[in-house]
Amino acid sequence: MTITVRFAPSPTGYIHIGNTRTALSNWLYAQKNDGKFILRYDDTDVERSKEEYAHAIAVDLDWLGIKPDCVEYQSQRFHIYAKAVERLKQAGLLYACYETADELERRRKLRLARRLPPIYGREALKLTDADKSEFEAKGRKPHWRFLLPNFENDPFVTSRTEVHWDDLIRGPQTVDLASMSDPVLVREDGTYLYTLPSVTDDIDMGVTHIIRGDDHVTNTGAQIAIFRALGAEPPVFGHHNLLTTVSGEGLSKRSGALSIGSLREAGYEPMSVASLAVLIGTSEAVAAVPNMAALVEQFDLTGISKSAAKFDPAELDTLNRTLLHELSFGEAQARLEALDISGEQAEPFWLAIRGNLERFNDAAHWWQIINGELPEAPLLSDEDKAFAHDAFKLLPDAPWNRQTWKDWTERVKMETGRKGKSLFMPLRIALTGQTHGPELADLLVLIGPERTKGRQP
């Protein structure tokens, strides 16, 4: 058996780091088990689904390193869902309901007032053909509910009906079908809610494992019942904890908060996002994982906590710095060339500045400082300006190497009596226009004698 998983986003907005947690969990599980990963767009809501969002999701997944084995669109499979609907109707497991939203809400409140569970009472099962014709004549269209198998003979007399599964993440789980309403599978306008297309596709596409957020745990009992009603054995389920903001709020795809696209545009490395999305809220320490192959090795569903995990963007900054500081020149070379950074200086330049980068594109800033005009005029007090002017007269002769900085500053110290920060900071500002940055022993060599002398205050 080939392990087959799927990621099924709705293309109604941009995916965020919480969605990415689900996508990565499925993809890594498939990679770890030589399985198959399906990207399946849940675009049955034709009005809200946009091709631009589907394209953006594909771009985001590719940026993260997730490569689907196949891509499916539920909007192209309506004929398959229609067959599943007809099969359930013929089996007497899908029944027409004509209540309005207001009528259902009144019934819910009435049940609560009577201290009864606020679940649907199956009143529609009592409708005669004449009742249905009368509703139809008034212009009402039915929505269709799945009859849960939570009774023996009389659907109005439910009894505790336990559905069990051994969750990949949460361990043994139990849901009582008598505690829930018969789920609506088809709306009044004939469109499908999430459940029916999802179950039908999972059967048709041979999905063996469903890994998703734990907000779906209570849905699983009903879905298992639908799998069996359609003659299929349910897949293995795994429900991971959800990510929230630091303040505990849920992440929203529609708000664009922490969208993968915005993180990419902000200059984060894909592995910093992937590392945090996968490792946060697990028994593993959150650390920068250098590549997907290493993350596959580290990935372990059983280490995921049952409580929600709070996403702190500050952690992303820390991971990003770590990845950049450890990035070899070979790994960075093509990206440097895209920033017009090449030639003999490129490798020593990268090794000198990588330890000071927050974002990769910051390298262009340091390349300009070393090879061009300073982007910012050095800000020195009159006293420091005079000191730096005299210090530049003491520069050693070429050729220069990493020892040159030490030789120069020792000579300046002896001549001026300055030491420590009062010596080094004016020279740093004069050379780079910055108050902080890479080691000046490296920068001085890269700037070279001619450009250095041209920066004498």
Side-chain angles (χ1 to χ4, degrees):
M1 176 189 72
T2 299
I3 286 179
T4 302
V5 298
R6 43 76 163 178
F7 175 55
S10 299
T12 55
Y14 301 108
I15 59 173
H16 51 62
I17 193 165
N19 305 128
T20 301
R21 184 173 179 79
T22 301
L24 283 165
S25 294
N26 280 280
W27 190 78
L28 292 170
Y29 192 79
Q31 294 298 302
K32 205 174 186 76
N33 294 281
D34 295 322
K36 178 182 178 182
F37 175 88
I38 300 169
L39 171 58
R40 191 174 75 207
Y41 290 109
D42 177 6
D43 58 347
T44 56
D45 187 340
V46 178
E47 287 191 8
R48 290 177 54 233
S49 297
K50 307 287 186 186
E51 181 57 35
E52 65 187 87
Y53 293 134
H55 175 72
I57 290 169
V59 170
D60 290 342
L61 295 181
D62 185 70
W63 178 71
L64 287 165
I66 296 175
K67 313 294 183 184
D69 293 293
C70 68
V71 179
E72 301 282 355
Y73 289 81
Q74 290 190 325
S75 59
Q76 298 174 4
R77 298 172 56 80
F78 286 146
H79 61 290
I80 296 174
Y81 312 143
K83 290 179 181 178
V85 165
E86 190 58 33
R87 179 172 179 176
L88 293 176
K89 286 180 180 178
Q90 291 297 322
L93 298 177
L94 203 61
Y95 61 98
C97 305
Y98 291 85
E99 297 94 345
T100 65
D102 287 341
E103 289 169 347
L104 290 172
E105 179 61 18
R106 285 197 295 271
R107 286 182 186 172
R108 189 186 73 84
K109 289 180 178 179
L110 185 60
R111 289 183 68 90
L112 285 171
R114 294 175 177 173
R115 297 184 178 180
L116 296 172
I119 60 177
Y120 182 62
R122 291 175 170 164
E123 289 83 358
L125 286 176
K126 298 177 182 178
L127 295 176
T128 64
D129 289 341
D131 293 330
K132 294 176 184 178
S133 296
E134 184 177 347
F135 279 128
E136 297 279 354
K138 292 178 179 178
R140 287 202 191 185
K141 299 292 183 182
H143 56 272
W144 296 81
R145 291 181 183 266
F146 174 72
L147 185 62
L148 290 170
N150 54 12
F151 59 94
E152 291 187 13
N153 299 306
D154 185 349
F156 299 102
V157 182
T158 60
S159 58
R160 184 172 181 83
T161 306
E162 294 183 350
V163 174
H164 304 274
W165 74 94
D166 190 7
D167 199 280
L168 281 172
I169 298 166
R170 301 171 65 87
Q173 299 291 300
T174 300
V175 170
D176 176 17
L177 295 183
S179 68
M180 61 181 67
S181 297
D182 291 338
V184 177
L185 300 189
V186 185
R187 300 183 183 91
E188 288 86 349
D189 61 2
T191 60
Y192 305 104
L193 279 83
Y194 161 81
T195 305
L196 180 71
S198 179
V199 171
T200 304
D201 285 344
D202 288 337
I203 295 170
D204 193 53
M205 297 175 188
V207 171
T208 62
H209 292 69
I210 296 176
I211 302 169
R212 57 190 182 179
D214 60 15
D215 53 334
H216 288 285
V217 168
T218 55
N219 303 332
T220 303
Q223 289 168 6
I224 287 175
I226 296 171
F227 272 104
R228 290 175 175 154
L230 291 172
E233 188 61 27
V236 177
F237 288 89
H239 294 90
H240 64 71
N241 55 0
L242 299 180
L243 299 189
T244 69
T245 62
V246 174
S247 59
E249 299 170 350
L251 303 182
S252 170
K253 187 167 57 177
R254 294 177 196 173
S255 71
L258 303 173
S259 72
I260 299 306
S262 68
L263 295 176
R264 181 174 65 252
E265 290 171 7
Y268 288 103
E269 297 295 297
M271 283 310 303
S272 67
V273 176
S275 297
L276 188 56
V278 171
L279 298 178
I280 191 172
T282 73
S283 57
E284 294 277 348
V286 176
V289 182
N291 52 57
M292 276 296 187
L295 194 56
V296 169
E297 290 298 316
Q298 199 166 337
F299 178 69
D300 181 11
L301 285 175
T302 62
I304 296 176
S305 168
K306 292 182 180 179
S307 56
K310 293 185 177 181
F311 169 73
D312 185 353
E315 288 190 83
L316 201 54
D317 291 324
T318 301
L319 296 175
N320 209 67
R321 285 193 294 269
T322 301
L323 287 168
L324 291 175
H325 300 176
E326 296 176 354
L327 197 64
S328 70
F329 174 69
E331 294 167 315
Q333 187 173 8
R335 296 172 66 183
L336 290 170
E337 289 174 354
L339 297 174
D340 293 325
I341 299 172
S342 59
E344 293 182 1
Q345 265 200 332
E347 183 168 7
F349 164 79
W350 174 252
L351 298 178
I353 62 96
R354 63 180 177 178
N356 287 84
L357 298 180
E358 296 283 332
R359 304 286 189 272
F360 187 89
N361 285 355
D362 293 344
H365 171 71
W366 287 106
W367 186 254
Q368 170 66 23
I369 286 174
I370 290 168
N371 291 286
E373 297 294 325
L374 294 182
E376 301 158 11
L379 296 175
L380 291 166
S381 67
D382 290 342
E383 183 181 353
D384 283 345
K385 194 177 212 180
F387 160 74
H389 178 81
D390 291 340
F392 270 63
K393 295 178 182 178
L394 302 174
L395 280 164
D397 295 329
W400 286 1
N401 56 37
R402 207 170 186 280
Q403 181 66 25
T404 302
W405 169 253
K406 183 176 181 181
D407 294 342
W408 181 32
T409 52
E410 287 291 336
R411 187 174 179 185
V412 172
K413 179 180 177 181
M414 289 179 61
E415 292 287 337
T416 67
R418 284 207 186 195
K419 58 183 178 180
K421 186 176 181 180
S422 66
L423 185 156
F424 300 126
M425 186 58 71
L427 298 183
R428 176 179 284 282
I429 294 173
L431 285 166
T432 69
Q434 311 292 308
T435 57
H436 64 278
E439 292 287 338
L440 284 168
D442 296 315
L443 291 188
L444 189 65
V445 178
L446 291 167
I447 296 170
E450 184 177 342
R451 276 191 296 270
T452 297
K453 291 172 183 176
R455 294 178 184 182
Q456 182 177 24

